[in-house]
Amino acid sequence: AGLDTAAAAIGKLYFGTATDNPELTDTAYVSQLNNTADFGQITPGNSQKWDATEPSQNTFTFANGDTIAKLAEANGQKLRCHNLVWHNQLPSWVTSGTWTNATLVAALKNHITNVVTHYKGQCYAWDVVNEALNEDGTYRTSIWYETIGEAYIPIAFATAAAADPNVKLYYNDYNIEYSGSKATGAANIVKLIQSYGVKVDGVGLQSHFIVGSTPSQSNQASTMASYTALGVEVAITELDIRMTLPSTDALLAQQSTDYSSTVGACVETKGCVGITIWDWTDKYSWVPSTFSGQGAACPWDANFVKKPAYTGILTALGGT
Ligand code: G3I
């Protein structure tokens, strides 16, 4: 059995991975990406973001996103679509524009309507708003928050719902996987959207963790329950567990334990629909370029050899 096969056998919708266009020239990489026993779902790591899809105002470019959407369709894999509104990877026409509340709301709605309409029927879910919170649970300073206020969030969800009534609409963030102010902030975002009478379907737990300091399974599960109590589903959307290099047998064993407890939290939570790793191989992980001296965060090493983490995940899913 593979990871997705095992996830399906216990009633989850998918186990999947992020990928990105440059990697698709690597044929050995693509052959594992296409292994649907392991991956029943894929997420484009960059090619549906604002800078990729609307590089200049009202000019939309979907070629790279479409490449990944077509790959998913050809493989019969679900597509998680990522993301519509974020403070990062915005083109300069957005970040350096002169905006009023009205003109920025119009630009936001135009972006969401065009992108969601283009991918209508192709996505299981959209990450509608990504990383709106500071670590203390207050709203992050961004062009969106400063110009529109918190209403940009329900406006974004309402616009996405109008463009595709059948896609699941998620709020997605990191460090909201364990109890604390930021998790409370994420729950408050769900309540805010609901208070506007607008549809919100899920909370995405990015789950970018660190070997040896991954939150416990019980804390992750109780935090998932704090969201599902609001009537939404949850998913683990960007899982990886990094370490300070070099990797050792002890670190790899701890990493397997940490993957297992994280996957286990989703397994024990009925409203946790699926798990996505933020790419499957250390060869293409985002971690080393962002955290100097850290890496080895994925379940497969840079030579595409399975690490102990693979077995930790499979076992947590009840597979053998
Ligand atoms: O597209 C340019 C290319 O033209 C240029 O030659 C190259 C040189 O550095 O950079 C390319 O842009 C890079 C882009 O990925 C596409 O490859 C950026 O430098 C790089 O910063 C960017 O990193 C992405 C990161 O988001 C940006 O914040 C990662 O690949 C992507 O995995 C990462 O994903 C995020 C999620 O969207 C949200 N949650 C956190 C997660 C990890 O940071």
Side-chain angles (χ1 to χ4, degrees):
L3 304 180
D4 185 67
T5 313
I10 55 167
K12 300 301 174 188
L13 295 182
Y14 59 83
F15 188 97
T17 181
T19 188
D20 204 357
N21 298 80
E23 307 158 21
L24 302 179
T25 57
D26 180 337
T27 53
Y29 172 87
V30 173
S31 82
Q32 173 57 33
L33 183 67
N34 291 345
N35 178 353
T36 54
D38 280 326
F39 306 130
Q41 175 273 325
I42 56 180
T43 306
N46 284 299
S47 45
Q48 292 178 322
K49 291 173 178 174
W50 199 307
D51 59 355
T53 54
E54 195 183 3
S56 55
Q57 188 164 14
N58 206 32
T59 299
F60 291 88
T61 54
F62 295 116
N64 281 345
D66 286 354
T67 297
I68 293 175
K70 282 179 186 140
L71 182 70
E73 190 185 13
N75 288 335
Q77 294 162 318
K78 291 185 167 60
L79 187 70
R80 282 197 92 264
C81 291
H82 173 80
N83 59 55
L84 295 169
V85 188
W86 193 23
H87 64 279
N88 266 339
Q89 289 174 282
L90 289 171
S92 59
W93 70 265
V94 174
T95 51
S96 307
T98 306
W99 300 106
T100 64
N101 184 317
T103 60
L104 192 60
V105 167
L108 179 75
K109 287 182 173 176
N110 189 53
H111 180 79
I112 293 172
T113 300
N114 276 278
V115 176
V116 175
T117 300
H118 180 82
Y119 287 106
K120 187 174 181 175
Q122 298 181 66
C123 310
Y124 168 71
W126 264 110
D127 291 327
V128 177
V129 173
N130 196 44
E131 302 175 6
L133 293 168
N134 293 316
E135 294 307 293
D136 67 359
T138 59
Y139 287 113
R140 182 192 291 273
T141 299
S142 69
I143 185 101
W144 312 117
Y145 184 67
E146 288 175 285
T147 311
I148 306 171
E150 68 181 12
Y152 87 85
I153 298 173
I155 290 169
F157 277 79
T159 307
D164 184 355
N166 296 318
V167 71
K168 302 281 186 193
L169 304 180
Y170 271 64
Y171 176 70
N172 190 54
D173 210 333
Y174 60 90
N175 292 350
I176 62 164
E177 306 86 2
Y178 50 91
S179 54
S181 305
K182 198 170 182 182
T184 303
N188 285 339
I189 283 178
V190 172
K191 293 178 195 168
L192 173 78
I193 300 163
Q194 292 172 335
S195 77
Y196 276 69
V198 168
K199 185 171 98 102
V200 50
D201 298 296
V203 175
L205 311 175
Q206 291 186 7
S207 308
H208 294 293
F209 291 142
I210 299 170
V211 169
S213 54
T214 294
S216 70
Q217 179 167 332
S218 61
N219 193 336
Q220 291 190 58
S222 64
T223 306
M224 288 177 181
S226 73
Y227 304 128
T228 60
L230 303 175
V232 296
E233 62 184 45
V234 297
I236 295 176
T237 54
E238 305 185 12
L239 176 60
D240 52 24
I241 310 184
R242 62 187 183 267
M243 63 180 72
T244 299
L245 299 172
S247 112
T248 63
D249 287 350
L251 284 166
L252 290 170
Q254 182 64 46
Q255 182 180 52
S256 179
T257 299
D258 292 341
Y259 265 103
S260 178
S261 55
T262 301
V263 170
C266 182
V267 169
E268 71 172 91
T269 302
K270 189 166 182 296
C272 184
V273 300
I275 298 161
T276 307
I277 51 177
W278 206 241
D279 227 320
W280 55 270
T281 166
D282 293 334
K283 184 172 184 181
Y284 297 118
S285 171
W286 68 290
V287 169
S289 62
T290 302
F291 298 99
S292 176
Q294 298 181 53
C298 299
W300 279 257
D301 73 14
N303 297 315
F304 305 154
V305 176
K306 288 173 182 166
K307 293 152 68 173
Y310 180 91
T311 306
I313 297 169
L314 184 62
T315 305
L317 292 168
T320 49

